[in-house]
Amino acid sequence: LIFSYFLMNKKDIATKLILDEFGVGFEDYQRCKNTIYLAQVKGICPNLFSFRWYVKGIYSSASDDFTTQLPDTYNEILSNEISKEIFDETAGWHLDKETSEKIKELKPLINSAKDLGLLASTHFLIDRSRIKSKREILKTLKEFKHTIPDNFELEIISHLIQYDLVKEQELTN
C-alpha cells in the first residue's frame, strides 16, 4: 500500500537521477526548480518541464508537483538500506554518459551560486522574454522584487556566459 504512493514515471525517475547527480535534495523546492531549469538550458533532458514567468521568477507547475508531492519521509525511508531496495524506484536506472558529462560541467555553478533563482530568472528574461539589454534585465528583476547584488554583471551575467548558458554577443548595455 505504501509502495503505490511512490509510483514514479520515467520523467520522475529521470528528474530524481538528475537532481541526485547535482546533489540537490527535495527539501529545498526553489533549489530543485532552478536546478532543473538551468539543467534543461544546458541540454540535460530538455523539455522535461515547461517554465513560465511568475511574480517571483520562473515557475513550472509540473516541477512544483514533482518536488512537493513526494512525502516528507521519502529521503528518510531511502536512508535505510533495506527500505532503499524496496522503495527506491530509481534503483537500476542510470544517466547516460553524455548527460553525466553535462551535469559535471554545470555542477560547479549549481553548487557555488549565491542566488540560483536570480541566475535562472536572468536567463529566462534573456532567452524567453528576449530582453537583451542589461539595463532592462535589471529593471525587470527589480520590479519583481529580486535582490540584486552590486556586482550583478560580474556575479550573474558572467556566470551565465562562462557556463555557456548565454552568449555575450546577445547582450547589450
Side-chain angles (χ1 to χ4, degrees):
L1 183 65
I2 293 173
F3 184 74
S4 66
Y5 189 82
F6 293 102
L7 288 177
M8 298 173 83
N9 60 35
K10 288 180 183 178
K11 179 176 161 181
D12 294 341
I13 290 169
T15 304
K16 183 170 183 320
L17 289 172
I18 290 165
L19 290 172
D20 286 350
E21 190 90 9
F22 276 113
V24 175
F26 296 117
E27 61 279 351
D28 187 344
Y29 162 71
Q30 292 296 328
R31 192 159 187 75
C32 284
K33 173 187 69 170
N34 292 312
T35 298
I36 291 166
Y37 174 78
L38 291 170
Q40 286 185 182
V41 169
K42 191 68 174 171
I44 301 166
C45 292
N47 305 318
L48 200 57
F49 297 105
S50 62
F51 287 86
R52 61 184 174 84
W53 187 258
Y54 187 65
V55 176
K56 297 180 182 178
I58 63 166
Y59 175 75
S60 168
S61 60
S63 80
D64 186 46
D65 291 346
F66 175 78
T67 56
T68 58
Q69 287 186 0
L70 288 175
D72 293 334
T73 57
Y74 187 79
N75 287 329
E76 185 181 319
I77 289 169
L78 294 184
S79 68
N80 177 316
E81 285 305 313
I82 295 170
S83 294
K84 189 171 188 166
E85 285 183 36
I86 297 169
F87 292 107
D88 187 3
E89 295 181 74
T90 63
W93 290 87
H94 304 282
L95 297 173
D96 62 45
K97 186 177 179 179
E98 181 183 348
T99 301
S100 291
E101 288 299 317
K102 286 180 181 179
I103 289 172
K104 196 180 294 183
E105 289 173 21
L106 191 60
K107 192 172 183 175
L109 176 64
I110 299 297
N111 291 334
S112 68
K114 292 178 186 166
D115 190 339
L116 205 54
L118 185 57
L119 269 167
S121 292
T122 301
H123 180 275
F124 187 93
L125 291 174
I126 294 167
D127 186 62
R128 306 271 179 89
S129 296
R130 308 261 185 237
I131 300 174
K132 304 299 182 184
S133 160
K134 294 172 192 171
R135 251 181 263 136
E136 282 299 309
I137 294 165
L138 280 169
K139 180 181 167 194
T140 303
L141 291 169
K142 286 177 182 176
E143 285 174 10
F144 288 99
K145 309 283 190 257
H146 276 274
T147 303
I148 311 296
D150 293 333
N151 57 350
F152 173 77
E153 193 162 339
L154 182 64
E155 194 173 312
I156 303 300
I157 300 290
S158 67
H159 279 100
L160 291 172
I161 293 167
Q162 176 187 347
Y163 285 89
D164 201 28
L165 300 169
V166 170
K167 303 285 183 224
E168 189 170 12
Q169 57 270 26
E170 293 177 346
L171 303 173
T172 64
N173 286 325

